[in-house]
Amino acid sequence: MMDKGASSLGRSHLALLLLLTLCVDPTLAIYGKSNPAEEKTSEFLDNLMHKYDGRIRPNFGHSPVVVNISMQIASIGHITETTMDYRVTVFLRQFWNDPRLAFTNFTKPVTVDVSILDQLWLPNLFVVNEKSASF
């Protein structure tokens, strides 16, 4: 027979174990198993990126990639006439089509983490006659 102190110690361990389980995988507490929609989306992204190589530009060996840009000037800062320096803050968008990322077998919208950018091909941006730039 357990005394009162041992019983409350056992309950606190059980509560801690349940809390840790909820923190590690909250879907287990809600669904009793993993989330099927999440698994399907993960599988879709794995298949999409399986043969993708971000080091190679789209259409490699064929026509060049057309990269469109849009730029909005947010502010123009200090202008120094003697050195012809000025500071400008802009919002720059680049957009292009990468046919390697095309898909037809998944119909739901997919929102991904920004970390996926590390795997994608991105155009190199340079500004002619710049003195300095930061992104």
Side-chain angles (χ1 to χ4, degrees):
M1 184 167 206
M2 292 179 19
D3 66 355
K4 192 173 187 179
S7 176
S8 67
L9 181 62
R11 277 191 229 136
S12 65
H13 278 97
L14 181 61
L16 179 61
L17 180 62
L18 180 60
L19 180 63
L20 288 174
T21 303
L22 290 174
C23 291
V24 172
D25 190 354
T27 59
L28 290 176
I30 297 170
Y31 299 104
K33 57 184 177 182
S34 60
N35 184 341
E38 182 180 334
E39 287 179 6
K40 187 174 181 180
T41 303
S42 291
E43 182 182 340
F44 163 73
L45 289 172
D46 289 343
N47 290 336
L48 183 67
M49 299 304 290
H50 177 67
K51 293 183 179 180
Y52 186 90
D53 189 345
R55 300 171 298 172
I56 301 172
R57 72 168 176 87
N59 307 327
F60 184 77
H62 299 287
S63 61
V65 178
V66 176
V67 178
N68 297 292
I69 65 166
S70 68
M71 184 171 68
Q72 295 178 326
I73 297 174
S75 66
I76 298 176
H78 183 72
I79 300 173
T80 306
E81 292 179 24
T82 56
T83 59
M84 298 177 62
D85 289 337
Y86 61 93
R87 179 175 298 262
V88 62
T89 303
V90 299
F91 294 110
L92 180 72
R93 282 186 60 200
Q94 301 178 31
F95 45 101
W96 63 94
N97 183 25
D98 190 338
R100 300 172 297 172
L101 296 173
F103 59 89
T104 57
N105 58 345
F106 200 81
T107 57
K108 298 186 186 237
V110 178
T111 303
V112 295
D113 187 75
V114 72
S115 65
I116 201 167
L117 290 176
D118 295 334
Q119 300 174 43
L120 299 179
W121 176 85
L122 300 174
N124 293 328
L125 175 67
F126 66 95
V127 179
V128 179
N129 296 329
E130 74 173 90
K131 288 192 176 182
S132 68
S134 60
F135 299 96

